Amino acid sequence: MANDKNDTPQTPVDPGEAPPGGEEPTQTLCQKWFNDYLEKPLEIDLEVAEGAATVGCLGYDEGKIGTQLRVCRVEDARKIRGEYRGIKNCISTALAAHAAGVTANVTGYVDKQKVLETKLNKALEGIKAAKSGMAKVHALACKLETARKDSCNSEQCKAIDKGLPKVDGVGGLQRFNNKISAFQATISTLNGNADALFEMGIKYAGIQASTNVTSIKPMTDLLKQDADGLATDVTEQCAALDKKIAEQAEALAGEITGLSTALYLRQKTQLTHDFLSDLKADLTDIRDQDCGALDYAAAKDRLTVICETAVTTFNTTATCGEGEESGGNKFNTQDAPSC
């Protein structure tokens, strides 16, 4: 083993051998140094590192769960926004457009119905007036016919007949009588036509009354109001969800940043703990080593390999030969420290 660097001369005692005087075996000064370091500060540092590793692991797990929850919130918000966009594109917008069209059509129909009703009423009044006039004319014709047939008026009729010239062999009075008869027939036909027109007007008025489009106008107005309200609500919800997704995405970015930091701390604390554990195992192995069984040649070769690796890694100019005169394989002879 290396020099124990005793401050006071003493005879080294191998572990397990009794010291002079028959006393119990004692540890060497070098072993004491190892034991003291293993006990303090290494054991304390190892406990601290173990606690830090546990905290780092828990912190990473917490960050991972928080990130997963944030991802789920973003996805849920996107799904809900997709549903609202589907409602907007396929239902609310189309419904509002149709409701506006129905309301406009009903309003136009009501306006036209009022105009038609006014015209129909005027037509019926005109037919009534025409029938009244034709009735008066028919009554006068009947009086004239009665007077013509009255025997009391025979002399007057003869005078009229003599005063009117004959046409195509037909006397004046006879022609007058024929015209009166034809006029009466015409009046009868016109009266029938007027009755037919009046009846037709009454039917149209009944049809207009039965359709009663005016009664559905309040319903169409309410439909338009509700459809517009639905469209507005859906649009506002879409805008709110867009804002929510942006907020959740920003929060997710923060969670990911925190998770990366937690992962770094977990790895760092775990590596520190593993290093201290390996250091404890190595120091314990060195402390309990049997110097008599040490393969010095293999140990020197191993040191040479370690030296060459360090020189190559850190691009130094140190040599790794044996002996201090050639630079040796001591790391403190390198141009730059290894680590």
Side-chain angles (χ1 to χ4, degrees), residues 28 32 55 58-59 71-72 90 92 95 138 149 173 175 186 223 242 253 256 262 269 292 297-298 306-307 319:
T28 64
K32 183 178 185 304
V55 172
L58 293 175
V71 168
C72 291
C90 300
S92 61
L95 179 61
H138 185 268
K149 292 180 180 182
L173 186 60
R175 291 201 318 274
T186 301
L223 174 63
D242 288 339
I256 293 174
T269 54
I306 295 174
C307 176
T319 59

Side-chain angles (χ1 to χ4, degrees), residues 135-288:
K136 290 180 180 180
V137 172
H138 185 268
L140 292 174
C142 289
K143 287 182 179 180
L144 183 59
E145 178 66 18
T146 301
R148 184 183 64 83
K149 292 180 180 182
D150 190 350
S151 60
C152 294
N153 299 323
S154 60
E155 293 299 328
Q156 289 84 349
C157 289
K158 289 177 182 181
I160 293 173
D161 187 52
K162 288 179 181 181
L164 294 175
K166 292 183 179 181
V167 178
D168 297 331
V170 180
L173 186 60
Q174 182 62 39
R175 291 201 318 274
F176 180 75
N177 291 336
N178 292 341
K179 288 182 179 181
I180 290 295
S181 297
F183 180 74
Q184 287 178 331
T186 301
I187 291 295
S188 179
T189 302
L190 291 175
N191 192 53
N193 292 337
D195 288 339
L197 289 174
F198 189 81
E199 184 179 358
M200 186 180 297
I202 294 300
K203 288 182 179 180
Y204 277 128
I207 293 172
Q208 288 297 110
S210 64
T211 55
N212 196 17
V213 179
T214 307
S215 64
I216 67 173
K217 192 175 186 307
M219 291 185 291
T220 59
D221 292 340
L222 180 60
L223 174 63
K224 184 177 184 304
Q225 179 182 346
D226 291 342
D228 291 342
L230 175 62
T232 300
D233 180 68
V234 171
T235 300
E236 291 177 352
Q237 289 296 330
C238 288
L241 286 168
D242 288 339
K243 181 180 178 181
K244 190 67 174 180
I245 289 174
E247 293 174 353
Q248 292 293 340
E250 183 178 356
L252 176 60
E255 290 284 352
I256 293 174
T257 301
L259 182 64
S260 63
T261 302
L263 176 61
Y264 169 77
L265 292 176
R266 188 191 73 169
Q267 296 295 96
K268 178 182 178 181
T269 54
Q270 187 61 48
L271 288 173
T272 302
H273 176 264
D274 293 343
F275 169 77
L276 292 177
S277 297
D278 293 341
L279 177 61
K280 179 180 179 180
D282 291 341
L283 292 179
T284 301
D285 182 65
I286 293 172
R287 182 198 63 186
D288 297 338

